[in-house]
Amino acid sequence: MLIDDGEMVEDADGWCYRVDAVFVGPEDWVDSTRHAFEDRDSMYLVCEALSAAADESGQLLYFRPDVWYDHYLSEVMRTDEDPAGWSLAFDRFSSMMVSELIDQLFFAGWLAQGGNNSKRTLNWRLTIPPC
C-alpha cells in the first residue's frame, strides 16, 4: 500500500497535494513512476495511462475514469492478439479498483487533486513526491 501520512497543502490555484511535491509534465512523471513502481505492474500500467492522458503541463482536467479506462488504460494494455476495437470493460469492480489505485497515488504524493465544480469529474495533476 502506498498511502502516506505526509502533510497536504492547497495552493492558490486550488490544487491539493503533498507538501514539497513538484508539478511535472507527463514525460518526467512516467520516467519517475517507472522507477518507483517497477515491481508493481498494475500500478505502473495505471501511471502510464495517466501520463498518456495528461496534457503537456501534466494536467488531467475534467477527468472521467470511464473514458480514461476505455481509452488510455485499454491502449497501454492492448496486445497484438487483441481484435481491432478491443477495449477494457468499465464496470463496478474496475471502477472500484481504479479509484483505489488513483487514491493511493494521490495520498503518496504522485498526484495533485483539484476541484472543478463538477459532481462527476475531478481534476488531477502529475506530481513527484518529496524524497
Side-chain angles (χ1 to χ4, degrees):
M1 184 176 262
L2 295 177
I3 294 179
D4 191 311
D5 291 333
E7 186 179 349
M8 297 290 213
V9 65
E10 184 173 336
D11 67 16
D13 294 325
W15 290 108
C16 179
Y17 52 92
R18 286 277 307 275
V19 171
D20 295 329
V22 178
F23 295 137
V24 294
E27 206 170 293
D28 291 333
W29 195 73
V30 78
D31 287 343
S32 294
T33 59
R34 181 177 294 123
H35 296 294
F37 304 115
E38 64 189 337
D39 60 340
R40 294 193 57 193
D41 291 339
S42 60
M43 185 60 82
Y44 181 68
L45 288 170
V46 167
C47 291
E48 191 175 347
L50 286 169
S51 68
D55 67 16
E56 65 186 34
S57 69
Q59 296 184 51
L60 295 96
L61 302 179
Y62 303 102
F63 182 77
R64 289 195 41 205
D66 57 335
V67 173
W68 171 82
Y69 192 90
D70 290 345
H71 181 71
Y72 293 100
L73 190 57
S74 292
E75 185 63 34
V76 300
M77 294 188 71
R78 186 172 284 115
T79 68
D80 293 338
E81 292 82 35
D82 294 322
W86 173 89
S87 71
L88 296 166
F90 191 75
D91 56 22
R92 279 178 269 192
F93 180 77
S94 56
S95 173
M96 178 183 68
M97 295 306 296
V98 164
S99 294
E100 175 67 24
L101 291 172
I102 290 174
D103 282 350
Q104 285 185 36
L105 289 168
F106 169 67
F107 287 111
W110 290 98
L111 289 171
Q113 184 184 79
N116 60 21
N117 299 322
S118 170
K119 294 180 180 166
R120 294 202 167 113
T121 65
L122 286 172
N123 293 332
W124 294 105
R125 191 162 183 185
L126 308 178
T127 62
I128 296 178
C131 298

